[in-house]
Amino acid sequence: MAVAEARRLAPGQGARLFADTLSAEEALAFGLVNRLVADEEIDAFVDGWARRLAAGPPIALSMSKKLLNNSAAVSMAQALEDEARCQTVNFTTEDTREAMRAFAEKRDPNFVGR
């Protein structure tokens, strides 16, 4: 469990994670998962999620993931500085220009990772 998730647990609940098997509902309540999906819906859910991620802007998604993963380990000032740096880089990419063109032309963007 990551430090960020551990901090969200109520006092005394963290030890329970080492001793008990949690139900899906408990994992959701503790913030260890972000949603529950029925067994019969999991393949369609994963396929849809993968398609949305694959169609997204790879540079911006990569930066967002890095910022989120680092968020618990840095100060607010450092997080804001990191965000500003990533936005500066992101706004110079071909993908950002493509997103603006696609929006203006009312069409889906075609991101290329540049």
Side-chain angles (χ1 to χ4, degrees), residues 8-44:
R8 287 196 295 252
L9 298 176
Q13 290 295 326
R16 189 167 163 232
L17 297 176
F18 298 109
D20 295 337
T21 300
L22 299 178
S23 69
E25 290 77 14
E26 289 172 314
L28 182 64
F30 285 147
L32 300 175
V33 299
N34 63 6
R35 70 191 72 207
L36 302 180
V37 179
D39 289 347
E40 61 274 6
E41 298 171 8
I42 193 72
D43 288 339

Side-chain angles (χ1 to χ4, degrees), residues 96-109:
T96 296
R97 289 187 294 279
E98 167 60 10
M100 291 182 206
R101 281 191 304 270
F103 180 80
E105 297 169 6
K106 297 181 179 13
R107 62 172 174 82
D108 290 334

Side-chain angles (χ1 to χ4, degrees), residues 8 86 94 111:
R8 287 196 295 252
C86 287
E94 185 178 320
F111 299 116

